[in-house]
């Protein structure tokens, strides 16, 4: 069983920045793909960004150029640097890991508001 724990969410003003972390209970080198998804109230969970063991990254068009996903294998942690935040970025952000199974974290709340 793989445990994923998100942290770093909070309340920021539009244009601000946050850095989310996803800590894994195993070496992330053993996780083929890790990613971030988000879900706003009343909406479906949507893809945000992914990163592979080879550091290949993909981003949703809505966050491209503003968000950056990265990983630190020594800390078993994946990050999501969120810059130029918009009100529409408000959501619960979930970490996802893919091996032979799919694992989800519990989520961390990001609220962008004046």
């Amino acid at each position: 069983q793989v445990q994923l724990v998100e942290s770093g969410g909070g309340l920021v003003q539009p244009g601000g920045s946050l850095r989310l972390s996803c800590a894994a209970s195993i070496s992330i080198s053993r996780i083929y793909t890790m990613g971030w998804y988000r879900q706003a109230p009343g909406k479906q969970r949507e893809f945000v960004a992914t990163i592979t063991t080879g550091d290949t990254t993909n981003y949703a068009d809505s966050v491209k150029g503003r968000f950056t996903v990265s990983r630190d294998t020594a800390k078993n942690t994946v990050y999501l640097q969120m810059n130029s935040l918009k009100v529409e970025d408000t959501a619960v952000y979930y970490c996802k890991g893919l091996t032979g199974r799919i694992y989800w974290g519990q989520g961390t709340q990001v609220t962008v508001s004046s």
Side-chain angles (χ1 to χ4, degrees):
Q1 189 69 248
V2 177
Q3 306 294 323
L4 302 175
V5 181
E6 303 96 333
S7 62
L11 173 64
V12 297
Q13 294 185 331
S17 297
L18 283 174
R19 189 192 194 193
L20 306 183
S21 299
C22 174
S25 62
I26 65 171
S27 172
I28 58 173
S29 66
R30 299 175 62 190
I31 305 174
Y32 178 70
T33 302
M34 296 195 70
W36 292 93
Y37 290 71
R38 66 187 182 187
Q39 187 168 21
K43 297 183 178 180
Q44 290 187 304
R45 189 172 299 186
E46 66 176 358
F47 162 77
V48 175
T50 54
I51 185 167
T52 70
T53 55
D55 284 332
T56 299
T57 58
N58 286 289
Y59 298 92
D61 288 342
S62 60
V63 306
K64 192 171 296 183
R66 299 188 298 120
F67 292 9
T68 302
V69 63
S70 62
R71 63 189 179 96
D72 185 338
T73 56
K75 295 182 177 181
N76 292 337
T77 300
V78 172
Y79 303 97
L80 184 68
Q81 179 66 47
M82 309 164 68
N83 299 326
S84 301
L85 283 162
K86 304 174 181 180
V87 172
E88 51 263 43
D89 294 319
T90 296
V92 176
Y93 284 71
Y94 296 91
C95 182
K96 178 183 178 181
L98 175 64
T99 57
R101 298 179 174 87
I102 297 173
Y103 301 94
W104 290 97
Q106 295 298 310
T108 185
Q109 177 71 50
V110 172
T111 302
V112 185
S113 176
S114 298

